[in-house]
């Protein structure tokens, strides 16, 4: 992807001009708020694909979107609170332009005071048993609820919420009582004890939730406010706090620099939920799962920072750090002892992010099919030795070709995208050379991204699996190979429909001096849209598979079109393209055969039936709070869910197995027991997947027809 430096420079200059309006003084939240707002506006005006006119109409949309984000469940604000905020409905465009945060401060004040009221409500309500004989209902869908008129009405909303959650826990406890095995400690067995234990469980859950809420920093609330603003441009333009940027980099690259431990909040403490195999903490053997990290210090002489009461996202900023640096942790072990542990940070890789492959038995005897699972188009641009998805997929293709497979399936289901450069290279593995995707900025002619390598890495039958959550780069690959007639695309009614390209800019680089305000964070901006080589965009419409396999979302609206303020679908001229690596013959016959099988397949018919049920449940979102009716409804729902789950427990793809070189690698990897266990789960999942079973049948028909 090309980017014009002159445009970026103009934004940097805008940042230099911006700070001239502020006299240099001690860092204050108001000053930082104003700087952030003006910087973000400058970047969006200069760079966004579809800049907006900031007027009263824009302000009203901003107000509505922020209000929905501020109290999405409508369990904190009353109509009186909303009325106070409503005075700013048409003034937020001016507030953002001037850096004024009065509306934001008022909203924070109202929510925080409402949270204190709500804390009193739930504690008072849960102190007494509920009357479960009353015939009343609760609307579980917040979009169908309205803001309470008064505090008394709001308290009644909380009563129904808590009653509903207590009923759900009573059902769980009753189920536990039924399934208790001989010799196990019997759970509470009388209705009164069960109800009391359920209320205590709800109370503890809400005490934990509110404990975390009360620790929410102003900067976290400001992120919500700023992103309500940026999301008016499109759903993928985001303000990123420094910790958010680290998570974004991890998601793209599949690795980070740190100690190699997943953390979570438990009350006022931070617990180690997992030690990542191969990471520095794992190698040191001192930090263990379920340890509590009490505090941390940097290097040999850094001061200790106490983590008590601190949220995980803030703890992470003290624990992560550059490769080669030392962090000291004060840890409380499971046995109650306290220990200081020193760890030298290093690169930590998350193997579940990377491509993997298997051999599957096809329909005909000796019909070996290669299966490639790609969870994301990862790319580690920060390191010279970083991993990239395109060369990794190339290695898997070579391994599969060495096994003499008759066809290859690439599974992009739930793949949310990633590196544009890698998807262009990857598409080129299957054609001689040619255009892959067109990319267009708002005021420029389309740029065509080409595969310029005439080599064809794999020239055999190819099927691409997608679903409603295959997005962005996944849609580029599927669209290109569909347009070329190079692969059969199989999956849900449509892919996600994200046809936009983003880039991240560091806000600190756009402002001179003012170190006391930094770090400001980053902004991820939609700069471009991508288009198929046939000229159509995947934006909103996604890619329609050649063969549609129904899923549980079959009757529900999903994807980009369901987001607030997505960019429109548009079209540009097609480019010339052709390929001779592999020509699909008789595709219509392949489609006809699959359709005939699906109509007779009990599994897919059950999926369609379940999809209808989910559609109805989404429409009928109110629940009865009478315990007898609730129990009856829960039993019926659990039976349907259990029947659905049990229908897909059998192995339907026999012979799913690893390539021999992968088995040897896993057997010699650090902590190979965990590695082999994860691989076993992966292989078992593939073995029981009826979507892969039908894909193998489609592959057989493709081979036979060609």
């Amino acid at each position: 992807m090309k980017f014009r430096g002159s445009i970026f420079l103009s934004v940097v200059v805008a940042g230099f001009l911006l700070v001239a309006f502020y006299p240099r003084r001690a860092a204050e939240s108001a000053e930082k708020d104003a700087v952030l707002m003006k910087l973000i506006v400058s970047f969006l005006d200069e760079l966004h694909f579809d800049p907006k006119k900031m007027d009263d109409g824009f302000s009203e949309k901003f107000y509505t979107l922020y209000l929905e984000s501020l109290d999405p469940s409508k369990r904190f604000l009353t109509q009186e609170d909303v009325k106070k905020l409503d005075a700013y409905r048409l003034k937020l465009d001016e507030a953002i332009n001037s850096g004024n945060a009065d509306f934001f401060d008022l909203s924070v004040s109202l929510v925080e005071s409402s949270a204190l009221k709500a804390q009193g409500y739930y504690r008072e309500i849960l102190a007494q048993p509920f009357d479960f004989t009353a015939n009343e209902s609760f609307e579980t869908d917040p979009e169908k609820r309205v803001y309470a008129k008064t505090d008394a009405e709001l308290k009644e909303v909380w009563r129904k919420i808590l009653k509903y959650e207590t009923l759900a826990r009573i059902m769980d406890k009753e189920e536990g009582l039924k399934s208790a095995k001989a010799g196990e400690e019997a759970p509470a067995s009388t209705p009164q004890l069960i109800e009391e234990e359920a209320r205590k469980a709800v109370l503890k859950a809400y005490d934990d939730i509110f404990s975390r809420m009360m620790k929410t920093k102003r900067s976290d609330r400001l992120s919500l406010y700023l992103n309500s603003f940026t999301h008016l441009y499109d759903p993928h333009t985001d303000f990123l706090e420094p910790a958010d940027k680290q998570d974004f980099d991890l998601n793209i690259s599949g690795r980070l620099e740190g100690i190699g431990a997943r953390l979570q909040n438990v009350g006022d403490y931070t617990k180690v939920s997992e030690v990542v195999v191969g990471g520095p903490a794992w190698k040191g053997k001192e930090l263990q799962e379920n340890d509590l990290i009490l505090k941390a210090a940097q290097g040999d002489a850094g001061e200790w920072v106490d983590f008590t009461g601190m949220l995980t996202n803030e703890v992470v900023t003290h624990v992560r750090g550059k490769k080669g640096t030392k962090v000291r942790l004060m840890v409380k072990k499971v046995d109650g002892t306290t220990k200081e542990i020193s760890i030298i940070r290093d690169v930590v890789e998350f193997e579940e992010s990377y491509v993997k492959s298997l051999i599957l038995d096809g329909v005909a005897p000796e019909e070996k099919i290669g299966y490639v699972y790609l969870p994301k188009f990862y790319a580690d641009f920060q390191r010279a030795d970083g991993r990239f998805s395109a060369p990794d997929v190339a290695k898997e293709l070579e391994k599969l070709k060495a096994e003499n497979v008759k066809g290859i399936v690439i599974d992009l289901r739930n793949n949310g995208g990633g590196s544009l450069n890698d998807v262009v290279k990857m598409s080129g593995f299957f054609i001689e050379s040619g255009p892959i995707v067109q990319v267009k900025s708002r005021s420029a002619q389309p740029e065509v991204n080409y595969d310029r390598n005439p080599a064809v890495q794999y020239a055999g039958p190819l099927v691409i699996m997608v679903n409603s959550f295959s997005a962005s780069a996944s849609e580029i690959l599927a669209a290109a190979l569909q347009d070329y007639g190079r692969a059969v695309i199989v999956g849900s009614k449509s892919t996600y429909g994200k046809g936009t390209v983003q880039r991240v800019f560091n806000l600190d680089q756009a402002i001179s001096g003012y170190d006391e305000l930094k770090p400001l964070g980053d902004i991820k901006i939609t700069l471009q849209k991508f288009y198929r080589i046939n000229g159509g965009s995947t934006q909103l419409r996604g890619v329609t598979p050649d063969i549609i396999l129904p899923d549980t979302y079959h009757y529900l609206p999903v994807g980009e079109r369901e987001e607030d303020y997505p960019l429109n679908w548009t079209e540009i001229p097609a480019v010339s393209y052709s390929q001779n690596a592999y020509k699909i013959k008789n595709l219509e016959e392949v489609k006809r055969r699959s359709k005939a099988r699906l109509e007779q397949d009990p599994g897919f018919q059950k999926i369609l039936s379940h999809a209808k049920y989910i559609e109805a449940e989404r429409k009928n979102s109110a629940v009865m709070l009478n315990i007898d009716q609730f129990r009856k409804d829960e039993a019926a729902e659990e039976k349907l869910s259990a029947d659905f789950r049990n229908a897909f427990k059998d192995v339907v793809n026999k012979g799913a197995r690893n390539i021999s070189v992968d088995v040897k690698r896993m057997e010699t990897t650090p902590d190979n027991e965990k590695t082999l266990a994860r691989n076993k789960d992966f292989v078992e999942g593939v073995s029981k997947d009826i979507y892969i079973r039908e894909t193998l049948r489609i592959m057989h028909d493709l081979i036979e027809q060609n």
Side-chain angles (χ1 to χ4, degrees):
M1 178 182 71
K2 295 181 180 178
F3 187 75
R4 289 167 175 74
S6 58
I7 297 177
F8 178 60
L9 180 61
S10 69
V11 175
V12 174
V13 171
F16 290 147
L17 294 175
L18 169 79
V19 298
F21 292 105
Y22 296 99
R24 187 170 293 274
R25 62 183 187 269
E28 299 172 355
S29 61
E31 183 181 13
K32 186 169 183 177
D33 295 348
V35 170
L36 270 174
M37 290 179 197
K38 289 201 164 193
L39 268 178
I40 289 171
V41 169
S42 297
F43 269 92
L44 293 174
D45 283 347
E46 289 284 344
L47 299 177
H48 194 273
F49 184 87
D50 185 21
K52 306 298 181 184
K53 181 182 179 182
M54 293 182 63
D55 53 16
D56 287 353
F58 182 94
S59 178
E60 188 162 19
K61 291 176 182 177
F62 179 20
Y63 171 83
T64 301
L65 195 59
Y66 176 60
L67 196 60
E68 290 173 354
S69 303
L70 188 65
D71 184 16
S73 60
K74 298 185 178 71
R75 64 170 75 180
F76 293 105
L77 299 179
T78 63
Q79 291 182 21
E80 189 63 32
D81 294 326
V82 173
K83 186 177 179 180
K84 294 175 183 175
L85 296 171
D86 207 43
Y88 293 85
R89 180 184 289 269
L90 302 181
K91 300 177 181 178
L92 296 185
D93 54 324
E94 300 163 14
I96 284 285
N97 273 321
S98 64
N100 184 294
D102 289 349
F103 169 75
F104 169 69
D105 289 334
L106 175 61
S107 71
V108 170
S109 173
L110 288 173
V111 165
E112 289 181 346
S113 62
S114 297
L116 288 173
K117 283 193 299 184
Q119 189 174 52
Y121 294 158
Y122 80 74
R123 287 177 173 172
E124 179 186 340
I125 292 166
L126 290 170
Q128 300 295 327
F130 289 103
D131 176 11
F132 291 122
T133 63
N135 288 317
E136 57 182 351
S137 63
F138 169 63
E139 177 54 68
T140 60
D141 186 351
E143 292 186 5
K144 297 178 183 177
R145 300 202 296 262
V146 297
Y147 291 104
K149 292 180 181 178
T150 62
D151 285 351
E153 198 173 293
L154 183 62
K155 185 177 179 181
E156 176 65 6
V157 171
W158 272 96
R159 185 187 68 81
K160 287 190 174 183
I161 290 171
L162 298 167
K163 187 175 183 180
Y164 168 68
E165 298 206 11
T166 302
L167 271 170
R169 282 168 173 77
I170 287 173
M171 297 303 110
D172 290 341
K173 289 180 179 295
E174 287 181 349
E175 189 61 33
L177 188 63
K178 290 177 186 175
S179 59
K181 298 178 181 178
E184 290 184 350
E185 183 180 348
S189 56
T190 68
Q192 292 79 14
L193 283 174
I194 292 174
E195 192 273 347
E196 184 180 348
E197 289 298 313
R199 272 190 294 114
K200 286 181 179 178
V202 174
L203 178 62
K204 183 181 184 306
Y206 273 93
D207 278 343
D208 289 344
I209 292 168
F210 273 69
S211 174
R212 291 192 294 272
M213 279 179 57
M214 300 305 180
K215 298 168 193 167
T216 303
K217 295 187 297 181
R218 190 177 189 279
S219 60
D220 295 324
R221 298 193 187 279
L222 184 65
S223 290
L224 181 71
Y225 178 69
L226 293 175
N227 279 313
S228 297
F229 170 73
T230 62
H231 289 169
L232 289 174
Y233 287 75
D234 78 287
H236 309 289
T237 292
D238 300 302
F239 166 67
L240 305 173
E241 284 195 90
D244 297 331
K245 176 57 165 56
Q246 291 178 348
D247 292 336
F248 176 78
D249 290 339
L250 166 61
N251 187 53
I252 291 293
S253 67
R255 72 177 189 172
L256 54 74
E257 293 179 355
I259 66 170
R262 298 187 194 271
L263 309 178
Q264 70 178 75
N265 276 122
V266 178
D268 284 336
Y269 300 100
T270 300
K271 185 178 81 170
V272 178
S273 59
E274 180 187 356
V275 176
V276 180
V277 173
W282 178 86
K283 291 175 182 176
K285 305 299 181 186
E286 291 186 283
L287 191 68
Q288 303 291 330
E289 291 180 11
N290 298 315
D291 285 351
L292 297 180
I293 302 180
L294 305 179
K295 50 188 176 179
Q298 307 304 316
D300 293 316
E303 293 184 4
W304 289 100
V305 176
D306 193 332
F307 291 162
T308 304
M310 193 179 289
L311 294 176
T312 304
N313 59 354
E314 189 174 357
V315 171
V316 165
T317 63
H318 297 280
V319 175
R320 284 181 189 169
K322 292 292 184 182
K323 175 182 177 180
T325 60
K326 178 190 286 187
V327 61
R328 290 176 290 133
L329 305 176
M330 191 64 69
V331 173
K332 185 175 182 179
K333 308 296 286 184
V334 177
D335 63 5
T337 60
T338 302
K339 182 178 183 181
E340 182 179 327
I341 297 173
S342 293
I343 300 175
I344 304 298
R345 300 178 178 103
D346 202 346
V347 172
V348 182
E349 292 191 340
F350 295 83
E351 284 294 329
E352 63 268 27
S353 300
Y354 300 136
V355 65
K356 58 186 78 172
S357 63
L358 297 173
I359 300 291
L360 307 178
D361 288 339
V363 173
E366 306 301 318
E367 190 177 77
K368 288 198 298 185
I369 305 299
Y371 172 77
V372 178
Y373 172 64
L374 183 64
K376 65 179 71 173
F377 289 83
Y378 51 87
D380 189 354
F381 298 106
Q382 307 299 319
R383 302 167 182 84
D385 62 341
R387 290 188 65 170
F388 292 82
S389 51
D392 283 0
V393 167
K395 292 174 186 176
E396 299 304 315
L397 294 176
E398 289 303 308
K399 289 191 290 186
L400 291 171
K401 284 164 59 181
E403 296 284 335
N404 297 313
V405 296
K406 301 294 185 183
I408 288 179
V409 173
I410 299 180
D411 192 344
L412 301 180
R413 289 176 296 173
N414 303 310
N415 183 320
S419 167
L420 178 63
N421 187 51
D422 279 79
V423 73
V424 170
K425 288 182 179 178
M426 206 177 297
S427 301
F429 294 162
F430 308 103
I431 62 170
E432 301 94 342
S433 63
I436 302 301
V437 64
Q438 302 185 77
V439 182
K440 187 182 184 309
S441 301
R442 76 188 191 196
S443 57
Q445 291 298 310
E447 297 178 359
V448 182
N449 284 237
Y450 284 91
D451 162 45
R452 301 189 183 278
N453 187 346
V456 179
Q457 184 145 7
Y458 174 69
L462 182 66
V463 177
I464 308 292
M465 298 182 72
V466 295
N467 65 7
S468 300
F469 302 101
S470 301
S472 195
S474 295
E475 296 172 289
I476 292 176
L477 180 64
L481 298 183
Q482 186 180 57
D483 288 345
Y484 272 110
R486 177 62 186 87
V488 178
I489 313 302
V490 173
S492 309
K493 288 190 299 184
S494 174
T495 56
Y496 190 82
K498 180 185 177 291
T500 56
V501 182
Q502 287 74 40
R503 181 169 172 178
V504 178
F505 299 93
N506 183 262
L507 295 175
D508 290 353
Q509 295 177 3
I511 187 168
S512 177
Y514 290 81
D515 292 341
E516 69 273 17
L517 302 182
K518 298 176 181 177
L520 294 169
D522 299 80
I523 184 166
K524 176 164 64 77
I525 302 180
T526 296
L527 303 176
Q528 300 164 310
K529 288 172 73 173
F530 63 75
Y531 295 82
R532 301 172 70 135
I533 50 179
N534 71 9
S537 174
T538 61
Q539 177 63 14
L540 292 187
R541 297 186 182 181
V543 177
T544 301
D546 301 301
I547 297 174
I548 293 174
L549 305 182
D551 60 15
T552 52
Y553 298 95
H554 194 71
Y555 299 109
L556 296 180
V558 293
E560 183 90 351
R561 64 184 68 84
E562 291 304 298
E563 297 280 357
D564 292 311
Y565 305 107
L567 295 185
N568 294 329
W569 181 88
T570 48
E571 192 173 18
I572 61 174
V575 294
S576 177
Y577 58 93
S578 64
Q579 63 88 21
N580 291 297
Y582 180 90
K583 296 287 189 179
I584 297 173
K585 299 175 183 177
N586 302 319
L587 177 58
E588 291 305 314
E589 175 61 16
V590 174
K591 291 162 67 173
R592 187 197 65 77
R593 291 185 182 186
S594 179
K595 182 180 179 182
R597 282 192 298 268
L598 294 179
E599 290 173 351
Q600 301 299 318
D601 190 299
F604 281 105
Q605 292 308 306
K606 187 174 283 290
I607 287 170
L608 277 172
S609 176
H610 199 65
K612 276 284 187 187
Y613 165 73
I614 290 174
E615 180 191 33
E617 284 293 290
R618 189 168 186 176
K619 292 176 181 176
N620 303 321
S621 50
V623 296
M624 293 299 296
L625 299 180
N626 175 285
I627 192 166
D628 292 333
Q629 186 62 47
F630 193 91
R631 191 179 282 122
K632 182 180 177 181
D633 293 342
E634 281 283 298
E637 185 174 321
E638 177 54 34
K639 185 179 186 308
L640 280 170
S641 298
D643 288 346
F644 185 72
R645 291 193 304 270
N646 292 333
F648 304 102
K649 286 187 174 181
D650 295 336
V651 171
V652 293
N653 303 311
K654 296 180 180 178
R657 57 201 180 275
N658 296 103
I659 302 171
S660 56
V661 293
D662 289 337
V663 174
K664 292 178 182 177
R665 175 183 56 79
M666 286 186 286
E667 288 175 343
T668 57
T669 198
D671 201 353
N672 59 19
E673 288 186 8
K674 282 189 176 181
T675 302
L676 292 169
R678 282 197 295 265
N679 177 68
K680 181 183 177 184
D681 289 341
F682 171 61
V683 175
E684 285 183 358
V686 170
S687 299
K688 297 175 181 179
D689 192 326
I690 70 167
Y691 291 92
I692 294 176
R693 180 187 65 186
E694 177 56 25
T695 301
L696 291 173
R697 291 170 175 172
I698 292 168
M699 177 64 81
H700 172 73
D701 292 340
L702 185 61
I703 293 169
E704 187 178 75
Q705 291 298 307
N706 283 265

